[in-house]
Amino acid sequence: MKFFAGILCLFVFSSIAWASRNPIPDLGFGSEGIVIKHDPSDFEMAIRFRSQFRFTFQEFSTPSEQDYLDFNVRRMRLRFDGTAFDERFLYKIQLSFTREDFDFENSAFPNVLRDAVVGWQLTDKSTFWFGQTKLPGNRQRVVSSGNLELVDRSLLNSTFNLDRDMGLQWYNQIGDQRPFWIKLAVSNGDGRSRNNPDKKLSYTTRFEWLPLGDFLQDGDFFEGDLAFESTPKVALGLVYNYNPGTQRVGGQIGPSITDGTDAFISRDLQTLFVDLLIKYRGWAFSSEFAKRDVDNPIVPISATENAAIYKGEAISGQLSYLFQASNWAPVIRYTQLFPDQEISSLENSRTQYTVGLTKYLNKHQVKLQSDITYEKQSNSILGISENDVMFRLQIEYGI
């Protein structure tokens, strides 16, 4: 922690020292945070922070599960991005400061660094990125957690999420009236702040098509129709990830796979996503399909106990409407997970119904959110039938 704090201080003080030698004529505050500029071709930095303060109540139907109430700071993040030396040289740094963001349970150390990536903009439509950042995964994952309509992402996303990784990415746009995007990534395959344990790499491809043209204000990268599209807008996405030899249950996320003797086990994961987004006059509809395949998904974790690497499918759909005059938005979401037959003795079928309400005070930067989720779990093999309820209230505050 002290190391990352030292790096942050060094970065900030270096910027101040640079500014003292090169007077900065423009310091602004707006939707992009605090922006420091000298010359667009020389130096520009946007500084932003955001926090999520959350209350959760969960009630379980089975006596083996204990109901709980919890207040916590779910996310607290600080971000720097901009250009340096040349407007085509891009950078992005994002740090996190809460336990859940640290991935502490899986990494056993405070993993502060979320993004550290530099880019080279070859043309207005083609950019290379090198470093640690999000992979071009499913639509809801590439949308920032600060730009969600509900308190958090869906069960589909948390189960199949590709998350962040260290590697090389290339984004390229084809066409202007009906943009088609190709997004490619080659990465370590074991997630953020982890070295590659072997010579195998992970490969990710995302194809994106906007058949009715660009969304207003990059509306395909935030949930809800806050831009109030005057004409229908549609985004279609297809993602494929191949992650051979990963040692984590979720590829880039989750605990390490061991055989109960602290010896690591590796598996080859293949993940497919299809997603759809539609926005028009305050209405926003999104849906996703996910499928993961893995050979030998059952792994022994002790002499008497097995665990499963998730193999199966999932669907999720979400619908909202923004009342433009009051900035209130009701939201509904449906999600269902279908575990494969191979892991059905260890994983339950799960269905979630979520109803939420969001009040936007300053778009996604400042908002009040609440949702209630009813979840059904069943397993015919184990004779399990559970019905759980979860209520969440959250304040998002940032610049």
Side-chain angles (χ1 to χ4, degrees):
M1 187 72 177
K2 292 180 180 178
F3 171 77
F4 286 106
I7 293 295
L8 175 59
C9 290
L10 179 62
F11 179 78
V12 173
F13 287 129
S14 297
S15 299
I16 294 173
W18 182 93
S20 66
R21 297 191 305 269
N22 301 272
I24 297 175
D26 188 8
L27 175 61
F29 175 77
S31 61
E32 296 301 315
I34 300 172
V35 180
I36 302 172
K37 295 182 181 180
H38 178 256
D39 184 314
S41 63
D42 192 5
F43 178 82
E44 180 176 337
M45 179 171 65
I47 304 173
R48 282 176 279 183
F49 80 87
R50 63 184 183 89
S51 306
Q52 290 180 346
F53 307 93
R54 183 180 299 181
F55 167 76
T56 303
F57 165 69
Q58 192 155 10
E59 183 179 60
F60 298 95
S61 62
T62 57
S64 59
E65 299 277 4
Q66 185 175 1
D67 300 347
Y68 74 91
L69 297 167
D70 179 55
F71 290 95
N72 76 336
V73 181
R74 173 61 183 89
R75 295 175 174 93
M76 172 62 204
R77 297 179 181 175
L78 184 62
R79 175 173 168 174
F80 307 88
D81 56 2
T83 61
F85 309 114
D86 188 299
E87 59 186 357
R88 294 169 296 175
F89 285 115
L90 315 173
Y91 66 87
K92 180 173 71 172
I93 299 169
Q94 185 172 205
L95 309 175
S96 56
F97 301 95
T98 61
R99 184 182 178 91
E100 288 188 63
D101 266 354
F102 285 167
D103 192 30
F104 191 85
E105 285 73 15
N106 298 318
S107 61
F109 72 94
N111 196 350
V112 176
L113 187 64
R114 298 193 70 80
D115 296 296
V117 63
V118 293
W120 169 250
Q121 192 170 14
L122 298 175
T123 68
D124 291 341
K125 300 179 181 180
S126 182
T127 305
F128 277 103
W129 292 96
F130 180 71
Q132 177 177 289
T133 191
K134 287 182 183 180
L135 292 173
N138 57 302
R139 169 68 62 186
Q140 193 173 69
R141 186 64 190 95
V142 298
V143 168
S144 168
S145 58
N147 290 335
L148 302 177
E149 296 180 288
L150 292 169
V151 173
D152 221 329
R153 298 183 178 95
S154 71
L155 183 62
L156 177 151
N157 183 85
S158 60
T159 305
F160 296 88
N161 177 20
L162 297 182
D163 206 70
R164 288 171 165 83
D165 211 354
M166 176 71 187
L168 179 68
Q169 300 192 27
W170 176 58
Y171 290 9
N172 186 66
Q173 177 187 339
I174 301 173
D176 294 316
Q177 299 301 317
R178 298 176 176 83
F180 182 84
W181 284 90
I182 301 173
K183 301 180 179 181
L184 307 176
V186 179
S187 59
N188 284 344
D190 286 271
R192 60 189 178 105
S193 301
R194 288 202 179 198
N195 294 330
N196 191 13
D198 53 37
K199 64 180 181 180
K200 297 178 180 178
L201 297 173
S202 174
Y203 305 91
T204 308
T205 301
R206 176 176 174 86
F207 298 112
E208 229 174 86
W209 186 39
L210 281 60
L212 301 179
D214 285 319
F215 288 68
L216 293 176
Q217 303 171 19
D218 294 326
D220 46 333
F221 288 98
F222 59 79
E223 292 190 343
D225 187 14
L226 274 67
F228 220 80
E229 300 282 356
S230 58
T231 60
K233 291 296 190 301
V234 176
L236 298 167
L238 175 66
V239 179
Y240 174 74
N241 171 261
Y242 176 55
N243 193 354
T246 183
Q247 295 183 354
R248 304 180 73 177
V249 295
Q252 290 81 8
I253 60 172
S256 298
I257 311 168
T258 62
D259 63 0
T261 64
D262 293 331
F264 290 107
I265 297 174
S266 64
R267 290 291 188 269
D268 296 349
L269 272 61
Q270 297 183 71
T271 306
L272 174 73
F273 294 102
V274 180
D275 54 66
L276 166 69
L277 174 65
I278 302 173
K279 292 188 178 185
Y280 180 53
R281 291 189 179 276
W283 290 97
F285 172 75
S286 60
S287 65
E288 296 185 330
F289 167 80
K291 178 180 176 63
R292 176 164 288 161
D293 188 32
V294 53
D295 292 332
N296 303 317
I298 304 297
V299 294
I301 57 176
S302 70
T304 59
E305 188 178 3
N306 293 328
I309 301 172
Y310 201 91
K311 178 180 181 179
E313 301 176 353
I315 57 172
S316 184
Q318 186 168 309
L319 178 67
S320 69
Y321 180 74
L322 175 69
F323 291 94
Q324 196 175 24
S326 63
N327 285 322
W328 284 98
V331 191
I332 57 173
R333 180 166 70 199
Y334 171 83
T335 307
Q336 188 167 7
L337 264 59
F338 307 93
D340 188 83
Q341 186 70 27
E342 281 190 79
I343 64 169
S344 58
S345 62
L346 295 171
E347 291 286 346
N348 301 334
S349 296
R350 301 173 66 182
T351 304
Q352 286 189 345
Y353 306 88
T354 301
V355 178
L357 184 64
T358 294
K359 169 65 173 180
Y360 297 100
L361 301 172
N362 181 25
K363 297 185 177 180
H364 280 291
Q365 280 75 31
V366 183
K367 59 191 175 185
L368 177 65
Q369 299 174 286
S370 65
D371 62 32
I372 185 167
T373 297
Y374 174 71
E375 179 174 344
K376 297 172 61 177
Q377 295 195 47
S378 62
N379 192 314
S380 58
I381 296 176
L382 302 178
I384 291 176
S385 180
E386 300 177 5
N387 301 295
D388 308 324
V389 177
M390 177 175 62
F391 170 78
R392 299 179 293 188
L393 178 67
Q394 181 168 278
I395 296 174
E396 173 94 25
Y397 189 86
I399 60 172

